[in-house]
Amino acid sequence: MDLIDEGPAGNAPEFTVSELSGAVKRVVEGEFSFVRVRGEVGRVSRPRSGHLYLDLKDDRAVIAGVIWKGRAQGLATQPEEGMEVVATGRLTTFPGQSKYQIVIEEIAPAGVGALMAMLEKRKAMLAAEGLFEQSRKRPLPYLPEVIGVVTSPSGAVIRDILHRLRDRFPRKVLVWPVAVQGQACAPDVTRAIRGFNTLTPGGALPRPDLLIVARGGGSLEDLWGFNEESVARAAAESEIPLISAVGHETDTTLIDFVSDQRAPTPTAAAELAVPVRLELLAWTGEQEARLSRAQAAAITQRRQRLRDLARALPRSDTLIQGARQRLDLWDMRLPDALRRTAQVRRIRLGEVAGSLRPGLLRRAIGAEAQRLADRGQRLAPALSRRIAMDRERLARRSDGLRADGIVRDLERSKTQLAELERRLSSAAGRVIAERSAKLDGLARLHETLGYRATLERGYAVVRDGDAVLTRKAQAEQASHLEIEFADGRLPLGGKPRKASKKAPPPEQGTLL
């Protein structure tokens, strides 16, 4: 048998494309199951699926990278184009495009330089939005009732803050425990700031009047959680005034720029939050003493001023002497003025009455009667026409009326009328009672102010017939003098007679 030489490829196995791609994938993943790659972030893509695609490159090569959705959401630092990073993951292949890529599990900035570059970029972005403007910062309350502290509950920071608050001015403190470094730091601080702002003022858990975000010193990587954009925006959106006290005096984070007040240390934040109670008590005592001295001096000065003015004032008797004399003068002139007024009115009435004649009145009455008769004759036909029109209109409307509706209206009207009658009777009773009480009061007042009550006290009225005498000269010229007492009248030289039912008003009599 002759052997035919088919060349070197004759014994080579055949693979399908999928088999070859799978073999390459197994080799690559087996050899590079865990790698750390340092490079610069190139193109960054974030599709709606939530996965994150990027390129890692240096000056000579590019590696495609992918971060799956679950990892991308929990990254402490989101990659940005131009950032130098260290990526940790595993190499694999993507047979659909015949390329290899790195599946990234962790990614972090490569050194302090990359972090500073990222920090400056975020600072410039937030500053451009106006979050660092001094005009938007709110003043701190002078003496807050409740202070909210966002910090770690187990560190020395919270003890320093509570100790300083206790020394200066004890206040109610609410602590929201958070992680102050690591991946959980930024989400915890963001939730704490927003959580304090959602509390209801005066509720079971009262809303703080002031917030303090505090942490001790550390490296840039340790403080990086307070440089995250979410923390800075939560602090800027806080409706409660906020003091940032992150790190030592030389440490600076993004929250320091957006907060309403920056404290160099957590202890200094407590000092900014409340005043010193003993200093306030001393100041209050001093102000109270000054106020007492000022009041005493003012009272003394006004008392002396009152004495000076009192010496210049006339005596009270001197002030009322002129008024008393004018009153006596008017009292003497009043009766003559009344008589003259009555005479003038009597003369005017006589002049007016002289022009009135019975014949003139009869003619006026006759003319008015004639006018009324003419109108009565014209009124009868008009009334007849109006009645006929109303009957016709009523007939038209009655065609559309039903008895049951009218009955219901009548029943309702009867009910309303009964209610109105009851209310009217009640109101009339109250009005009559009030008027009766008022009339009784007026009657008692009339009895008190009338001249007959004066007669009961021993006074008398001197009359000449029905005329009341008020002067001695009138009594000397009178022909029949009569004195009215409380129980009757006594003629001088005659028998007493009973008092008349109609007595003159008290101001027209003379009381003896």
Side-chain angles (χ1 to χ4, degrees):
M1 181 181 291
D2 296 331
L3 297 176
I4 299 174
D5 187 6
E6 296 181 356
N11 297 324
E14 292 182 357
F15 298 96
T16 63
V17 175
S18 297
E19 291 173 345
L20 184 59
S21 297
V24 172
K25 182 179 180 69
R26 287 191 296 272
V27 170
V28 172
E29 290 181 352
E31 292 294 330
F32 302 97
S33 60
F34 180 81
V35 293
R36 297 183 73 230
V37 182
R38 183 187 184 111
E40 180 183 341
V41 178
R43 174 191 56 86
V44 179
S45 176
R46 292 180 174 86
R48 288 183 296 178
S49 62
H51 308 312
L52 195 152
Y53 299 94
L54 54 86
D55 291 337
L56 295 176
K57 62 181 181 179
D58 57 15
D59 56 347
R60 290 181 294 179
V62 177
I63 299 177
V66 59
I67 305 176
W68 302 124
K69 178 180 178 181
R71 291 287 184 179
Q73 293 177 347
L75 290 178
T77 303
Q78 294 293 328
E80 301 176 5
E81 187 173 353
M83 182 190 303
E84 187 176 1
V85 297
V86 175
T88 303
R90 57 185 175 83
L91 282 182
T92 186
T93 63
F94 181 49
Q97 294 183 357
S98 298
K99 70 175 184 180
Y100 67 93
Q101 62 186 6
I102 180 173
V103 178
I104 300 174
E105 302 292 336
E106 297 290 340
I107 189 168
V112 178
L115 291 177
M116 292 301 297
M118 185 189 305
L119 178 60
E120 292 300 327
K121 184 177 179 180
R122 289 179 182 173
K123 187 187 297 184
M125 179 185 66
L126 296 177
E129 295 181 12
L131 299 185
F132 298 167
E133 295 292 336
Q134 192 68 29
S135 58
R136 57 164 298 279
K137 298 182 183 296
R138 291 171 293 275
L140 304 182
Y142 181 71
L143 186 60
E145 290 292 333
V146 181
I147 300 175
V149 180
V150 180
T151 188
S152 172
S154 58
V157 171
I158 185 62
R159 292 195 297 271
D160 293 342
I161 292 176
L162 294 177
H163 178 72
R164 185 49 57 96
L165 289 176
R166 192 181 305 113
D167 290 343
R168 291 175 65 87
F169 207 120
R171 296 282 88 185
K172 185 182 296 183
V173 177
L174 295 179
V175 180
W176 193 302
V178 296
V180 292
Q181 68 181 49
Q183 296 183 2
C185 175
D188 285 358
V189 174
T190 302
R191 284 193 296 269
I193 295 175
R194 290 175 176 166
F196 272 133
N197 278 270
T198 57
L199 294 179
T200 303
L205 188 62
R207 180 181 180 182
D209 303 312
L210 178 67
L211 294 183
I212 298 177
V213 180
R215 186 204 187 281
S219 63
L220 180 61
E221 291 82 358
D222 295 338
L223 303 178
W224 188 253
F226 298 92
N227 288 321
E228 292 293 344
E229 182 179 350
S230 61
V231 175
R233 292 193 181 277
E237 295 168 0
S238 174
E239 297 179 358
I240 305 174
L242 187 144
I243 300 176
S244 65
V246 179
H248 297 303
E249 188 169 359
T250 56
D251 298 325
T252 303
T253 56
L254 279 182
I255 194 174
D256 295 333
F257 294 97
V258 298
S259 62
D260 299 301
Q261 183 73 43
R262 177 185 181 269
T265 61
T267 304
E271 294 176 355
L272 291 174
V274 294
V276 180
R277 184 173 180 272
L278 294 179
E279 293 180 359
L280 286 179
L281 290 175
W283 180 83
T284 304
E286 181 183 353
Q287 296 301 317
E288 182 180 4
R290 292 180 58 188
L291 180 61
S292 299
R293 291 194 298 269
Q295 287 179 342
I299 292 174
T300 302
Q301 182 180 3
R302 283 169 172 75
R303 185 182 292 114
Q304 184 60 40
R305 178 63 176 167
L306 181 61
R307 293 195 190 98
D308 297 340
L309 293 175
R311 287 195 293 268
L313 290 176
R315 298 182 61 182
S316 58
D317 295 340
T318 306
L319 292 176
I320 64 175
Q321 284 177 356
R324 185 184 292 116
Q325 187 174 0
R326 286 194 300 273
L327 181 61
D328 294 338
L329 177 62
W330 292 339
D331 181 58
M332 291 185 295
R333 295 170 59 184
L334 182 60
D336 296 338
L338 290 175
R339 283 193 295 273
R340 287 195 299 270
T341 302
Q343 292 175 359
V344 171
R345 297 295 174 85
R346 189 179 293 110
I347 294 173
R348 186 176 302 171
L349 178 61
E351 294 175 353
V352 173
S355 60
L356 296 177
R357 297 291 185 272
L360 180 62
L361 183 59
R362 283 193 296 271
R363 285 194 298 272
I365 293 174
E368 189 67 20
Q370 184 63 34
R371 186 171 65 84
L372 290 177
D374 295 342
R375 291 193 175 183
Q377 294 176 358
R378 295 168 56 190
L379 183 61
L383 287 176
S384 300
R385 289 193 301 271
R386 181 59 182 271
I387 292 173
M389 292 173 61
D390 290 345
R391 286 178 177 174
E392 183 180 356
R393 185 164 61 252
L394 179 60
R396 288 196 303 269
R397 291 188 176 181
S398 62
D399 294 339
L401 295 178
R402 293 184 178 180
D404 53 354
I406 297 176
V407 170
R408 286 195 300 271
D409 292 342
L410 287 176
E411 293 297 330
R412 186 168 54 254
S413 299
K414 288 179 180 179
T415 304
Q416 294 177 355
L417 181 60
E419 177 63 20
L420 291 175
E421 181 180 3
R422 184 187 63 79
R423 293 171 58 188
L424 180 60
S425 299
S426 177
R430 289 195 301 271
V431 172
I432 292 173
E434 293 176 359
R435 298 292 175 84
S436 298
K438 186 176 180 181
L439 185 61
D440 293 341
L442 292 175
R444 290 192 297 270
L445 182 62
H446 180 267
E447 289 294 333
T448 303
L449 299 179
Y451 82 101
R452 292 190 175 278
T454 307
L455 295 179
E456 294 289 345
R457 295 198 297 271
Y459 293 86
V461 179
V462 180
R463 301 177 182 275
D464 181 8
D466 291 335
V468 177
L469 303 183
T470 61
R471 294 290 185 271
K472 177 182 176 182
Q474 295 175 348
E476 292 175 350
Q477 297 176 2
S479 58
H480 301 284
L481 287 179
E482 187 179 41
I483 301 176
E484 181 180 357
F485 295 95
D487 55 348
R489 296 183 181 183
L490 176 64
L492 293 182
K495 294 181 180 180
R497 61 178 179 178
K498 294 183 179 179
S500 61
K501 293 184 179 179
K502 293 184 180 180
E507 61 271 11
Q508 295 180 358
T510 299
L511 302 179
L512 299 180

